Structure formats: structure tokens, C-alpha cells
Amino acid sequence: MEAVRLILTSRRALLGGADAAEMLAEVWQAQALAQAIGSRLAVSGPPELRGEALGLTELAGRGCGVLDPPELDPKDLRAAQLTALDDARETLLCLGSLLGEVGMALVGMASAAADETTYWQCMEAIDAADESRDRVLEMLRKLAAREEMLPENGSESSPSGAL
């Protein structure tokens, strides 16, 4: 499935989470998806994004690692459904929004946490989501700089590129 569609699915699921366990599962799913997108960009994205994309992969992996993994059927794992990343810029814009929403959801969960373990998991996951979002914003900045450097005649391929 295409990256933007998966991100939009994650955003809807995060907004529809009914209880803390469901919300934490959706946060985990979003971080796993960010990790998969970062990995895809690190391997086959524009060269100037590869270092930041590798960093995104590591940070999003840390975001998954601080949370208890949800019990999911493998077919329900959104990150495993990633088959295409058609537009790097659009994907990163959507991913940045998702990570911002993840951070806000985690703040709410940390505030309402019934136990210290959940509180600290949320705090660690907030840090990972925030740092992941910073990487996404840096990649967007690099894409914008790349677009400015492309010749006006359009002889180059699309700056966002299909991956």
C-alpha cells in the first residue's frame, strides 16, 4: 500500500482510539510506520535525505522499543503493508503531521496515566516522536533546498521522486 494512504489510516485510527491500550497500540503502529518510511528513504530516497532518513529509522525504532508491542495479527501491521512511496515530499508532510498527533496523544495519555510505568513509557515515546518529527522537518527542508537548485527548464526528474 502507498505510504500516504497508510499514514492517513494511522491518523484516523489514532483519533478513533477508545482507551489507553488502544491508543498506545496506535502510537506503536505510527512509530513502526515512520521506521519503515525512514528505512525506505534511506535505501532508495534522494541522496541528500539518506542520512536523516537513517536517523528517522533509528528514532522511530526507539519509539517502538519503549512501548509494549501490541498483539497484532501480522496482516494488521501497517508498516509491513508499505509497498510504495510515490512522493517523498507529500509522504514527509503527512508523516510530520502524524508524528505531531502522536506526541499530543501521548501527552494526554501521560497526564492520565494510572501508573508510573505507563507515564514513563509515554514520556520516552514523546521524546522519540518529537525527535522523529524533527528529522522529518529536516528532510522537508532539504527537499525544498533541492527544488530551489533544480534548473527552471524542467529537464530534471521530479524533485520528490517516486520510490
Side-chain angles (χ1 to χ4, degrees), residues 37-57:
I37 289 169
S39 180
R40 175 73 58 103
L41 287 170
V43 171
S44 59
E48 58 271 38
L49 300 186
R50 291 183 180 162
E52 295 296 331
L54 185 58
L56 173 61
T57 301

Side-chain angles (χ1 to χ4, degrees), residues 6-161:
L6 288 168
I7 293 168
L8 294 176
T9 299
S10 281
R11 288 179 75 182
R12 282 191 298 274
L14 184 64
L15 292 173
D19 60 17
E22 202 173 297
M23 292 291 287
L24 285 172
E26 290 306 329
V27 165
W28 190 92
Q29 283 261 45
Q31 289 283 22
L33 183 56
Q35 185 179 25
I37 289 169
S39 180
R40 175 73 58 103
L41 287 170
V43 171
S44 59
E48 58 271 38
L49 300 186
R50 291 183 180 162
E52 295 296 331
L54 185 58
L56 173 61
T57 301
E58 293 170 3
L59 288 165
R62 190 182 89 205
C64 289
V66 298
L67 299 171
D68 295 327
E71 292 184 26
L72 293 172
D73 189 308
K75 68 177 175 46
D76 294 329
L77 180 60
R78 287 185 206 105
Q81 297 172 24
L82 179 64
T83 58
L85 201 153
D86 293 338
D87 183 335
R89 183 180 179 281
E90 181 69 19
T91 298
L92 291 170
L93 285 169
C94 292
L95 184 59
S97 294
L98 173 63
L99 291 168
E101 291 167 2
V102 162
M104 288 186 287
L106 286 164
V107 167
M109 285 186 282
S111 298
D115 61 88
E116 215 173 297
T117 300
T118 302
Y119 173 82
W120 285 111
Q121 279 183 326
C122 288
M123 296 307 290
E124 290 291 324
I126 288 168
D127 285 345
D130 187 48
E131 290 177 34
S132 294
R133 188 167 184 267
D134 288 346
R135 293 293 172 123
V136 168
L137 294 175
E138 181 61 20
M139 285 188 277
L140 284 166
R141 187 195 66 73
K142 287 182 177 188
L143 279 178
R146 177 185 183 205
E147 289 175 6
E148 288 177 11
M149 295 183 67
L150 287 176
E152 293 293 321
N153 64 16
S155 63
E156 297 283 329
S157 63
S158 169
S160 58

